[in-house]
């Protein structure tokens, strides 16, 4: 008898099955390796038990998480303004400024420089490091340097008791200025002297009779129509903005 030839189809199928079995074993090996390092094992559902307390806790936790999420998103999207006050520690720092200004019709003794900053600090008549030169009338060129004459000590007038009592009891004749009248009075006269004070300030109280006497003296002068004296009560509701506008930091300030 002649043996039958081998069936090639069967051999090919067997080879494919062997290759698939080898690939499946490799995949299963990797899966088993991953399962072996699993730290948080899954509990079968048959071993779990649902309770009312657990459901309440789960519901409360879900609501709390939702509240925290929406509140944080709302806080992130909300624009807020925060104001902080800090002390300026640069008061001792100085900045050198060079300038050259010529004013032909202004005498040197009346030329002064005032310094103010955005914070409201103001320095009046800063002349310590400022050099002045006289300007020749014919040529207009700079001539000799101007030296301020040494000023004598100011002699303050002392009012006797009788005079002090008289002006203290004198009816108010000095204009009391407020927000509605301040600007109009300042614009109406060539020179306006304003005393900013407060009724509780002892120095303002001492100035009051002197201020009245000064006004009574000015009224008898030939330049009285061009000069006006006034006072501002910085504690009054209708005058506080004026004191803030002019940066009044001490009482009295003229």
């Amino acid at each position: 008898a002649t043996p039958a030839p081998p069936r090639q189809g069967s051999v090919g199928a067997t080879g494919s099955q062997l290759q698939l079995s080898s690939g499946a074993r490799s995949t299963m090996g990797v899966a088993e390796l991953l399962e072996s390092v699993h730290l948080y094992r899954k509990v079968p559902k048959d071993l779990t038990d649902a309770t009312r307390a657990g459901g309440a806790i789960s519901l409360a936790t879900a609501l709390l998480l939702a509240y925290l999420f929406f509140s944080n998103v709302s806080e992130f999207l909300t624009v807020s303004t925060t104001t902080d006050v800090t002390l300026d520690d640069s008061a001792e720092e100085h900045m050198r400024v060079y300038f050259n200004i010529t004013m032909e019709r202004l005498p040197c003794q009346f030329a002064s420089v005032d310094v103010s900053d955005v914070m409201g600090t103001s320095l009046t008549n800063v002349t310590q490091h400022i050099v002045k030169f006289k300007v020749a009338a014919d040529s207009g060129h700079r001539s000799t340097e101007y030296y301020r004459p040494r000023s004598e000590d100011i002699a303050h007038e002392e009012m006797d008791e009788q005079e002090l009592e008289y002006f203290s009891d004198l009816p108010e004749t000095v204009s009391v200025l407020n927000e509605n009248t301040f600007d109009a009075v300042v614009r109406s006269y060539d020179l306006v002297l304003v005393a900013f004070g407060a009724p509780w300030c002892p120095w303002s109280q001492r100035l009051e009779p002197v201020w009245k006497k000064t006004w009574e003296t000015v009224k008898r002068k030939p330049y009285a129509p061009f000069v006006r004296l006034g006072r501002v009560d910085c504690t009054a509701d209708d005058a506080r903005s004026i004191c803030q506008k002019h940066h009044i930091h001490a009482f009295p300030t003229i």
Side-chain angles (χ1 to χ4, degrees):
T2 302
R7 293 180 292 181
Q8 296 179 357
S10 299
V11 174
T14 303
S16 300
Q17 290 177 359
L18 292 175
Q19 292 177 358
L20 290 175
S21 299
S22 177
R25 283 196 297 268
S26 300
T27 304
M28 293 176 61
V30 174
E32 291 177 354
L33 177 62
L34 292 177
E35 290 178 357
S36 64
V37 297
H38 187 193
L39 300 179
Y40 304 97
R41 304 299 176 93
K42 183 179 180 181
V43 180
K45 189 175 182 180
D46 297 338
L47 301 179
T48 60
D49 188 15
T51 61
R52 297 178 181 178
I57 295 175
S58 300
L59 183 60
T61 304
L63 294 176
L64 179 61
L65 291 176
Y67 169 75
L68 294 175
F69 173 76
F70 288 108
S71 62
N72 279 273
V73 172
S74 176
E75 183 69 20
F76 177 76
L77 298 178
T78 302
V79 179
S80 60
T81 303
T82 304
T83 303
D84 190 13
V85 178
T86 58
L87 296 178
D88 184 11
D89 56 355
S90 61
E92 300 298 330
E93 298 180 2
H94 298 277
M95 179 177 62
R96 185 179 298 274
V97 179
Y98 296 92
F99 60 92
N100 184 5
I101 302 176
T102 302
M103 293 171 284
E104 298 180 352
R105 297 183 179 274
L106 180 66
C108 291
Q109 63 265 29
F110 299 131
S112 63
V113 177
D114 299 342
V115 179
S116 60
D117 56 18
V118 295
M119 299 298 296
T121 304
S122 179
L123 300 177
T124 306
N125 194 14
V126 182
T127 57
Q128 181 178 2
H129 302 288
I130 297 178
V131 181
K132 303 178 185 178
F133 293 91
K134 294 182 179 180
V135 178
D138 52 351
S139 61
H141 294 288
R142 189 174 67 180
S143 59
T144 59
E145 183 177 352
Y146 170 78
Y147 293 95
R148 183 179 179 86
R150 186 175 181 180
S151 59
E152 300 178 356
D153 294 336
I154 300 176
H156 295 278
E157 179 184 4
E158 296 292 341
M159 301 175 61
D160 52 32
E161 295 182 1
Q162 183 177 0
E163 188 179 24
L164 184 62
E165 182 179 359
Y166 169 77
F167 284 103
S168 298
D169 298 337
L170 186 69
E172 187 63 59
T173 57
V174 180
S175 301
V176 180
L177 307 179
N178 53 35
E179 298 174 354
N180 302 322
T181 59
F182 185 87
D183 293 334
V185 172
V186 171
R187 295 191 187 100
S188 301
Y189 299 92
D190 295 340
L191 177 63
V192 179
L193 298 178
V194 180
F196 297 87
W200 52 263
C201 176
W203 299 105
S204 299
Q205 298 172 4
R206 292 183 60 180
L207 178 63
E208 185 174 355
V210 178
W211 206 240
K212 290 181 179 179
K213 180 182 178 180
T214 304
W215 174 234
E216 294 297 327
T217 304
V218 170
K219 289 195 297 186
R220 297 191 295 267
K221 299 296 182 179
Y223 48 78
F226 311 101
V227 180
R228 179 66 63 182
L229 266 69
R231 68 181 185 89
V232 174
D233 181 7
C234 291
T235 62
D237 294 336
D238 57 352
R240 292 177 181 174
S241 61
I242 301 177
C243 300
Q244 294 176 357
K245 178 181 178 181
H246 293 276
H247 307 291
I248 304 302
H249 301 290
F251 301 138
T253 297
I254 300 176

PDB file of all heavy atoms in Angstrom, residues 118-135:
ATOM      1  N   VAL A 118       3.681 113.658  46.245  1.00  0.00           N
ATOM      2  CA  VAL A 118       2.331 113.123  46.021  1.00  0.00           C
ATOM      3  C   VAL A 118       1.694 112.639  47.312  1.00  0.00           C
ATOM      4  O   VAL A 118       0.467 112.487  47.372  1.00  0.00           O
ATOM      5  CB  VAL A 118       2.381 111.966  45.010  1.00  0.00           C
ATOM      6  CG1 VAL A 118       2.823 112.471  43.646  1.00  0.00           C
ATOM      7  CG2 VAL A 118       3.321 110.864  45.486  1.00  0.00           C
ATOM      8  N   MET A 119       2.472 112.409  48.359  1.00  0.00           N
ATOM      9  CA  MET A 119       1.922 111.960  49.622  1.00  0.00           C
ATOM     10  C   MET A 119       1.366 113.097  50.457  1.00  0.00           C
ATOM     11  O   MET A 119       0.798 112.888  51.516  1.00  0.00           O
ATOM     12  CB  MET A 119       3.000 111.217  50.430  1.00  0.00           C
ATOM     13  CG  MET A 119       3.529 109.979  49.741  1.00  0.00           C
ATOM     14  SD  MET A 119       2.244 108.749  49.462  1.00  0.00           S
ATOM     15  CE  MET A 119       1.814 108.347  51.145  1.00  0.00           C
ATOM     16  N   GLY A 120       1.542 114.354  49.977  1.00  0.00           N
ATOM     17  CA  GLY A 120       1.015 115.496  50.710  1.00  0.00           C
ATOM     18  C   GLY A 120       2.034 116.197  51.590  1.00  0.00           C
ATOM     19  O   GLY A 120       1.719 117.224  52.197  1.00  0.00           O
ATOM     20  N   THR A 121       3.241 115.675  51.670  1.00  0.00           N
ATOM     21  CA  THR A 121       4.270 116.327  52.469  1.00  0.00           C
ATOM     22  C   THR A 121       4.761 117.575  51.746  1.00  0.00           C
ATOM     23  O   THR A 121       5.099 117.534  50.565  1.00  0.00           O
ATOM     24  CB  THR A 121       5.446 115.370  52.717  1.00  0.00           C
ATOM     25  OG1 THR A 121       4.952 114.172  53.324  1.00  0.00           O
ATOM     26  CG2 THR A 121       6.488 116.021  53.613  1.00  0.00           C
ATOM     27  N   SER A 122       4.810 118.693  52.461  1.00  0.00           N
ATOM     28  CA  SER A 122       5.184 119.962  51.852  1.00  0.00           C
ATOM     29  C   SER A 122       6.236 120.655  52.703  1.00  0.00           C
ATOM     30  O   SER A 122       6.109 120.714  53.932  1.00  0.00           O
ATOM     31  CB  SER A 122       3.942 120.866  51.699  1.00  0.00           C
ATOM     32  OG  SER A 122       4.308 122.106  51.133  1.00  0.00           O
ATOM     33  N   LEU A 123       7.271 121.145  52.054  1.00  0.00           N
ATOM     34  CA  LEU A 123       8.330 121.920  52.700  1.00  0.00           C
ATOM     35  C   LEU A 123       8.339 123.307  52.081  1.00  0.00           C
ATOM     36  O   LEU A 123       8.426 123.449  50.861  1.00  0.00           O
ATOM     37  CB  LEU A 123       9.694 121.247  52.529  1.00  0.00           C
ATOM     38  CG  LEU A 123       9.838 119.832  53.103  1.00  0.00           C
ATOM     39  CD1 LEU A 123      11.221 119.271  52.794  1.00  0.00           C
ATOM     40  CD2 LEU A 123       9.587 119.840  54.597  1.00  0.00           C
ATOM     41  N   THR A 124       8.241 124.316  52.918  1.00  0.00           N
ATOM     42  CA  THR A 124       8.141 125.695  52.458  1.00  0.00           C
ATOM     43  C   THR A 124       9.478 126.398  52.607  1.00  0.00           C
ATOM     44  O   THR A 124      10.169 126.230  53.621  1.00  0.00           O
ATOM     45  CB  THR A 124       7.055 126.437  53.244  1.00  0.00           C
ATOM     46  OG1 THR A 124       5.830 125.704  53.146  1.00  0.00           O
ATOM     47  CG2 THR A 124       6.830 127.831  52.692  1.00  0.00           C
ATOM     48  N   ASN A 125       9.807 127.192  51.592  1.00  0.00           N
ATOM     49  CA  ASN A 125      11.005 128.038  51.613  1.00  0.00           C
ATOM     50  C   ASN A 125      12.271 127.205  51.847  1.00  0.00           C
ATOM     51  O   ASN A 125      12.988 127.362  52.833  1.00  0.00           O
ATOM     52  CB  ASN A 125      10.871 129.132  52.681  1.00  0.00           C
ATOM     53  CG  ASN A 125      11.918 130.220  52.493  1.00  0.00           C
ATOM     54  OD1 ASN A 125      12.566 130.309  51.453  1.00  0.00           O
ATOM     55  ND2 ASN A 125      12.088 131.050  53.510  1.00  0.00           N
ATOM     56  N   VAL A 126      12.530 126.308  50.919  1.00  0.00           N
ATOM     57  CA  VAL A 126      13.731 125.475  50.997  1.00  0.00           C
ATOM     58  C   VAL A 126      14.865 126.241  50.309  1.00  0.00           C
ATOM     59  O   VAL A 126      14.983 126.260  49.087  1.00  0.00           O
ATOM     60  CB  VAL A 126      13.500 124.118  50.316  1.00  0.00           C
ATOM     61  CG1 VAL A 126      14.735 123.241  50.436  1.00  0.00           C
ATOM     62  CG2 VAL A 126      12.291 123.429  50.921  1.00  0.00           C
ATOM     63  N   THR A 127      15.704 126.892  51.081  1.00  0.00           N
ATOM     64  CA  THR A 127      16.761 127.743  50.516  1.00  0.00           C
ATOM     65  C   THR A 127      18.145 127.389  51.046  1.00  0.00           C
ATOM     66  O   THR A 127      19.087 128.131  50.832  1.00  0.00           O
ATOM     67  CB  THR A 127      16.473 129.220  50.837  1.00  0.00           C
ATOM     68  OG1 THR A 127      16.370 129.370  52.267  1.00  0.00           O
ATOM     69  CG2 THR A 127      15.177 129.680  50.197  1.00  0.00           C
ATOM     70  N   GLN A 128      18.285 126.249  51.718  1.00  0.00           N
ATOM     71  CA  GLN A 128      19.572 125.917  52.328  1.00  0.00           C
ATOM     72  C   GLN A 128      20.652 125.692  51.276  1.00  0.00           C
ATOM     73  O   GLN A 128      21.782 126.176  51.420  1.00  0.00           O
ATOM     74  CB  GLN A 128      19.423 124.688  53.218  1.00  0.00           C
ATOM     75  CG  GLN A 128      20.727 124.285  53.914  1.00  0.00           C
ATOM     76  CD  GLN A 128      20.538 123.084  54.821  1.00  0.00           C
ATOM     77  OE1 GLN A 128      19.436 122.531  54.886  1.00  0.00           O
ATOM     78  NE2 GLN A 128      21.598 122.675  55.489  1.00  0.00           N
ATOM     79  N   HIS A 129      20.329 124.981  50.186  1.00  0.00           N
ATOM     80  CA  HIS A 129      21.323 124.661  49.163  1.00  0.00           C
ATOM     81  C   HIS A 129      21.012 125.359  47.835  1.00  0.00           C
ATOM     82  O   HIS A 129      21.433 124.878  46.782  1.00  0.00           O
ATOM     83  CB  HIS A 129      21.373 123.146  48.950  1.00  0.00           C
ATOM     84  CG  HIS A 129      21.701 122.370  50.186  1.00  0.00           C
ATOM     85  ND1 HIS A 129      22.958 122.359  50.751  1.00  0.00           N
ATOM     86  CD2 HIS A 129      20.926 121.599  50.991  1.00  0.00           C
ATOM     87  CE1 HIS A 129      22.955 121.609  51.833  1.00  0.00           C
ATOM     88  NE2 HIS A 129      21.731 121.134  52.011  1.00  0.00           N
ATOM     89  N   ILE A 130      20.294 126.444  47.892  1.00  0.00           N
ATOM     90  CA  ILE A 130      19.940 127.186  46.680  1.00  0.00           C
ATOM     91  C   ILE A 130      20.764 128.469  46.629  1.00  0.00           C
ATOM     92  O   ILE A 130      20.809 129.230  47.592  1.00  0.00           O
ATOM     93  CB  ILE A 130      18.434 127.506  46.655  1.00  0.00           C
ATOM     94  CG1 ILE A 130      17.637 126.203  46.598  1.00  0.00           C
ATOM     95  CG2 ILE A 130      18.096 128.395  45.471  1.00  0.00           C
ATOM     96  CD1 ILE A 130      16.156 126.412  46.618  1.00  0.00           C
ATOM     97  N   VAL A 131      21.422 128.687  45.512  1.00  0.00           N
ATOM     98  CA  VAL A 131      22.269 129.865  45.319  1.00  0.00           C
ATOM     99  C   VAL A 131      21.522 130.855  44.436  1.00  0.00           C
ATOM    100  O   VAL A 131      20.983 130.492  43.386  1.00  0.00           O
ATOM    101  CB  VAL A 131      23.620 129.483  44.680  1.00  0.00           C
ATOM    102  CG1 VAL A 131      24.494 130.714  44.504  1.00  0.00           C
ATOM    103  CG2 VAL A 131      24.319 128.429  45.529  1.00  0.00           C
ATOM    104  N   LYS A 132      21.489 132.101  44.853  1.00  0.00           N
ATOM    105  CA  LYS A 132      20.801 133.153  44.103  1.00  0.00           C
ATOM    106  C   LYS A 132      21.825 134.159  43.591  1.00  0.00           C
ATOM    107  O   LYS A 132      22.791 134.494  44.289  1.00  0.00           O
ATOM    108  CB  LYS A 132      19.773 133.868  44.988  1.00  0.00           C
ATOM    109  CG  LYS A 132      18.729 132.952  45.607  1.00  0.00           C
ATOM    110  CD  LYS A 132      17.785 133.730  46.515  1.00  0.00           C
ATOM    111  CE  LYS A 132      16.810 132.824  47.229  1.00  0.00           C
ATOM    112  NZ  LYS A 132      15.914 133.578  48.142  1.00  0.00           N
ATOM    113  N   PHE A 133      21.600 134.651  42.393  1.00  0.00           N
ATOM    114  CA  PHE A 133      22.451 135.668  41.794  1.00  0.00           C
ATOM    115  C   PHE A 133      21.578 136.838  41.350  1.00  0.00           C
ATOM    116  O   PHE A 133      20.475 136.634  40.826  1.00  0.00           O
ATOM    117  CB  PHE A 133      23.220 135.116  40.587  1.00  0.00           C
ATOM    118  CG  PHE A 133      24.237 134.066  40.937  1.00  0.00           C
ATOM    119  CD1 PHE A 133      23.894 132.720  40.948  1.00  0.00           C
ATOM    120  CD2 PHE A 133      25.529 134.419  41.260  1.00  0.00           C
ATOM    121  CE1 PHE A 133      24.818 131.746  41.260  1.00  0.00           C
ATOM    122  CE2 PHE A 133      26.471 133.461  41.575  1.00  0.00           C
ATOM    123  CZ  PHE A 133      26.114 132.118  41.578  1.00  0.00           C
ATOM    124  N   LYS A 134      22.088 138.009  41.567  1.00  0.00           N
ATOM    125  CA  LYS A 134      21.386 139.195  41.090  1.00  0.00           C
ATOM    126  C   LYS A 134      21.543 139.314  39.576  1.00  0.00           C
ATOM    127  O   LYS A 134      22.571 138.957  39.012  1.00  0.00           O
ATOM    128  CB  LYS A 134      21.938 140.445  41.772  1.00  0.00           C
ATOM    129  CG  LYS A 134      21.656 140.490  43.272  1.00  0.00           C
ATOM    130  CD  LYS A 134      22.192 141.779  43.891  1.00  0.00           C
ATOM    131  CE  LYS A 134      21.896 141.844  45.379  1.00  0.00           C
ATOM    132  NZ  LYS A 134      22.412 143.102  45.992  1.00  0.00           N
ATOM    133  N   VAL A 135      20.522 139.818  38.936  1.00  0.00           N
ATOM    134  CA  VAL A 135      20.533 140.013  37.484  1.00  0.00           C
ATOM    135  C   VAL A 135      20.680 141.505  37.213  1.00  0.00           C
ATOM    136  O   VAL A 135      19.918 142.317  37.754  1.00  0.00           O
ATOM    137  CB  VAL A 135      19.244 139.466  36.843  1.00  0.00           C
ATOM    138  CG1 VAL A 135      19.252 139.717  35.344  1.00  0.00           C
ATOM    139  CG2 VAL A 135      19.108 137.980  37.133  1.00  0.00           C
TER     140      VAL A 135
END
